[in-house]
Amino acid sequence: MLVVGEAEEDEGTYKLEEHAKIPWSSDGKVDFNTHKIYDLYKLNSPAVKLHGIMMVLAWMLLVVIGIVTARYNKDMLPGEKLLGTKVWFQVHRGAMVLAVLFVVIGFIPIFVEVQGYSQIIESGSAHPVLGILVTVLCFLNPIMALFRPDGDHKFRWIFNWAHLGVGVIAQVLAVVTVFLGYVLERSMMPNEALYVTITHLIVIAIICVVLEITKWKSYMKQKKQIENKNGVLPEDIEMKEVKDVSEPPKPSVLPFALMLLLGGFLFGSAMAILVIIADS
């Protein structure tokens, strides 16, 4: 075992400080009387890899699908229903439930591996703190959803903003936590994972900008239709059913097409990251 740490001088003598990094160790006992090449013991055990794989699937794939669907694809297959509710809602809920399940599967083995809370002080040491916080937020949103008021309730807007706020904060912190996990010694992640993840985020940002512009144009078009018909604009046309427009606005194909494109890319990039984790 090779331990690297600081030595503090005190009146001509040196006092060894506790090492701040995980010690390097060989993959077996070393006999110094023989000439033999030993390999480095891999810190990223199967439990560590399982943790990384589950978190990438949850936050880099499923949560993104759930958020984008709820934000930009509420008119997905408007004439169809899945299990009694709108298709977009089932996609959103299914993705988020799976994400919570994957977070739980990834959360437990890492605590077993490090035998509790990690005390190692190193680059990316905020990873366990943020990881616990993100996990709490991950459970908070579905709990809020269980007690959400009806769509026409006067306090529904409070739930909408709280649900959105907690979800966005959790997603942003999760991405930061993933990057901090890459630089941990225990993860032993190569730079390729960082490059793929950055590309992953850039593509998501570009597609979401396009979807946001499309959503705004649809809103302005519907607003103009209502004003031309009645001369009055309801306070929030997204939350109210428009019944007095001469021709109901047709759902745009672009958001659904972009959603399919984004889904394919998310799956491909997530699988690339998982391969890197498994092979590291």
Side-chain angles (χ1 to χ4, degrees), residues 17-59:
E17 300 291 337
E18 183 179 358
H19 58 86
K21 295 185 177 182
I22 300 175
W24 295 351
S25 60
S26 60
D27 60 349
K29 293 182 179 181
V30 176
D31 183 359
F32 288 100
N33 291 319
T34 61
H35 295 280
K36 183 180 178 181
I37 296 177
Y38 291 87
D39 291 326
L40 180 67
Y41 171 76
K42 288 191 174 183
L43 297 170
N44 54 349
S45 65
V48 174
K49 291 185 177 183
L50 176 63
H51 170 74
I53 288 172
M54 289 295 103
M55 294 306 178
V56 167
L57 284 174
W59 295 104

Side-chain angles (χ1 to χ4, degrees), residues 171-226:
Q171 176 65 7
V172 171
L173 291 179
V175 171
V176 174
T177 306
V178 168
F179 277 108
L180 291 176
Y182 285 169
V183 299
L184 289 173
E185 290 180 278
R186 191 177 291 276
S187 69
M188 302 183 72
M189 289 292 285
N191 291 333
E192 287 76 9
L194 182 63
Y195 303 148
V196 173
T197 305
I198 292 175
T199 304
H200 176 94
L201 296 176
I202 291 174
V203 172
I204 292 175
I206 292 173
I207 293 180
C208 285
V209 168
V210 176
L211 287 170
E212 195 67 36
I213 294 173
T214 304
K215 182 181 178 71
W216 178 80
K217 287 184 176 180
S218 177
Y219 168 83
M220 295 304 295
K221 182 179 179 181
Q222 191 173 0
K223 174 182 176 180
K224 186 176 180 180
Q225 285 182 325
I226 298 174

Side-chain angles (χ1 to χ4, degrees), residues 96-116:
M96 293 306 186
V97 169
L98 280 177
V100 172
L101 178 62
F102 284 9
V103 167
V104 172
I105 295 175
F107 189 80
I108 295 175
I110 198 65
F111 267 79
V112 175
E113 172 71 15
V114 301
Q115 299 180 357

